[in-house]
Amino acid sequence: YNNKSETKINPMNICVLVNNRNSIELIKSIEDKDKFIIHIIYKYEILYKLIAQSIIYTGLSSVYEELFSYEGPDIKIESKHNHSNSKFIDVASKYLSNIADSKVLMGVIKKDKNLLYIPNSDYIIESEDKLVILYTNYTENEKQLNISKHIAEETQQKNNILLICNDSQNNELIDIIKNYNKEAKIIRMNYNEIDKENNKYKFVSNKLTKEDITKIILISEDIDTDVKAINTLLIIRQFITKENPHIPVLSLINSIENRELIKSDDIRDFIVSGNLIGMLMAHAAFNPDMLYVFEDLLSKNGKDIIIKKYKPIEHENKFKDTYLNLLYNNEIIIGYKKDDTIVLNPKPNENLTDEIIVITNNNINLKSYSN
């Protein structure tokens, strides 16, 4: 409280990025919610979730990055609105009625809940609810949707995953992978195993062939391991180029300079970077409420963005129709996939394909959904 005016002063929001999970409880212990609210972002929980989900569907990591960038599809929060006492489905329908400037109502942030809440269609919006909206943030020179290129592939429910890392790493990553893909077989390989081989290419290629590997994950979380990880990645790229197998590679490299050095335009060869973390921090500086959305979408126990099969009701193939239909299942559609292209925040009257992008609750069945 301000002693002079006796008016309440809103607490300051503080965003803290941590690399070590053990630091979280210590930081929480110093929080004073009357003076400041601490938002803790655990870096590796976010990056590991991106990796785990990308195993289910190649290219999903770049969907997150595009969604949280400042150009093209973007998220905003409206705390002042005139939709009090209206049904969620009616408000959502109004946002989708403007064909020239469509907006997708993704959910609400309820008072004292501090997370993205996807209500049922008949939920009555309260005055203190904050509306979370997907819209298209055009640049001056760009008057069309920002579209991400992706490879066309069938979603595999079972994978043989080669995880290359240090022995001390990534039990946490394995737990998250299993959370999303319970049938996955995970084969570990240590960088030291590769280093001691005279013919490293032969050793790695034999491993990939013998184990019938369908996905590869390389993890390097320190500068010393970066060199080994890059050398291994170059061997894998050589094998893929020579043998031409369809094996997506997900790499987490510590150094920014090293990430740029080995950057690839092939979505099958994706470098999971800290760009998403930087975008998150930038959004948080502009509007702290965005942290509630990010924390819910990017934590392992929060909501998920997934790509899945969908069979629409006959004669209801438009984006708006599908949005209103899926809302009854507490799912929010935000885009669709067509061939090798992903479109976010499409026009309400656009026809959909049989693959859609939705926000859904964690641990939902990832198999095809039909109505």
Side-chain angles (χ1 to χ4, degrees), residues 4 8 15 37 48 100-101 118 121 128 137 173 189 232 236 248 278 333 352:
K4 293 182 179 179
K8 186 175 181 179
C15 185
I37 299 173
Y48 288 170
D101 184 27
I118 301 177
S121 56
E128 294 179 325
N137 183 20
L173 172 57
M189 180 184 289
T232 303
I236 290 171
I333 180 173
L352 300 182

Side-chain angles (χ1 to χ4, degrees), residues 200-222:
K200 296 177 176 57
Y201 176 86
K202 182 178 180 181
F203 176 74
V204 173
S205 60
N206 285 345
K207 190 75 170 179
L208 295 175
T209 304
K210 181 181 178 181
E211 299 288 355
D212 192 22
I213 298 299
T214 61
K215 308 271 181 172
I216 302 172
I217 301 173
L218 286 92
I219 304 292
S220 172
E221 296 176 11
D222 57 65

Side-chain angles (χ1 to χ4, degrees), residues 263-301:
K263 188 176 180 180
S264 170
D265 292 329
D266 189 344
I267 196 65
R268 292 170 300 177
D269 191 356
F270 189 81
I271 309 295
V272 181
S273 71
N275 288 343
L276 185 63
I277 307 294
M279 293 174 193
L280 193 158
M281 301 293 278
H283 275 290
F286 180 74
N287 185 351
D289 284 333
M290 289 295 290
L291 284 168
Y292 301 134
V293 178
F294 293 146
E295 286 175 12
D296 204 34
L297 287 177
L298 295 172
S299 65
K300 65 179 181 180
N301 295 318

Side-chain angles (χ1 to χ4, degrees), residues 115-169:
L115 51 78
L116 174 63
Y117 174 60
I118 301 177
N120 60 50
S121 56
D122 293 329
Y123 172 80
I124 303 299
I125 295 175
E126 300 177 0
S127 59
E128 294 179 325
D129 287 344
K130 298 175 182 179
L131 307 183
V132 183
I133 298 167
L134 176 65
Y135 72 110
T136 299
N137 183 20
Y138 297 113
T139 63
E140 292 182 2
N141 299 320
E142 186 179 16
K143 298 300 180 184
Q144 55 184 320
L145 291 177
N146 185 7
I147 296 174
S148 295
K149 289 293 182 182
H150 297 260
I151 61 171
E153 69 165 358
E154 292 295 323
T155 304
Q156 290 186 338
Q157 294 299 316
K158 187 173 182 178
N159 283 287
N160 295 328
I161 302 164
L162 179 62
L163 174 59
I164 307 174
C165 59
N166 288 332
D167 285 337
S168 59
Q169 292 175 317

Side-chain angles (χ1 to χ4, degrees), residues 253-267:
I253 306 296
N254 174 73
S255 168
I256 296 175
E257 292 79 6
N258 287 332
R259 287 200 300 265
E260 291 300 315
L261 181 66
I262 58 173
K263 188 176 180 180
S264 170
D265 292 329
D266 189 344
I267 196 65

